[in-house]
Amino acid sequence: MKNKKDKVEAVEVKCVKCGRTQIIYIPREDIPKCPECKVNMIINELLDEGKSY
Ligand SMILES: [Zn+2]
């Protein structure tokens, strides 16, 4: 039985080079690369609010 296990989580990712931040939703989205620096961004902050809306 499939539950709603694939819950999405908003995370803030950050470019370590220029400091650009972006909100993505995992696991639906992959960690993006910074469009300017072309480096992988890192997870800066989990924005789990525990709300369902
Ligand atoms: Zn950058």
Side-chain angles (χ1 to χ4, degrees):
M1 193 173 185
K2 280 206 169 182
N3 229 330
K4 289 197 173 180
K5 204 177 178 183
D6 48 353
K7 168 194 167 206
V8 296
E9 274 186 79
V11 297
E12 184 184 79
V13 293
K14 184 180 184 180
C15 172
V16 292
K17 282 197 171 185
C18 69
R20 168 196 290 264
T21 58
Q22 188 179 329
I23 305 296
I24 62 160
Y25 296 90
I26 55 172
R28 298 178 62 169
E29 296 179 50
D30 289 326
I31 306 284
K33 286 186 177 179
C34 177
E36 290 185 32
C37 311
K38 313 295 182 194
V39 297
N40 284 320
M41 297 169 97
I42 59 162
I43 293 178
N44 189 42
E45 193 177 351
L46 294 172
L47 304 172
D48 192 301
E49 299 176 40
K51 292 177 186 169
S52 52
Y53 60 90

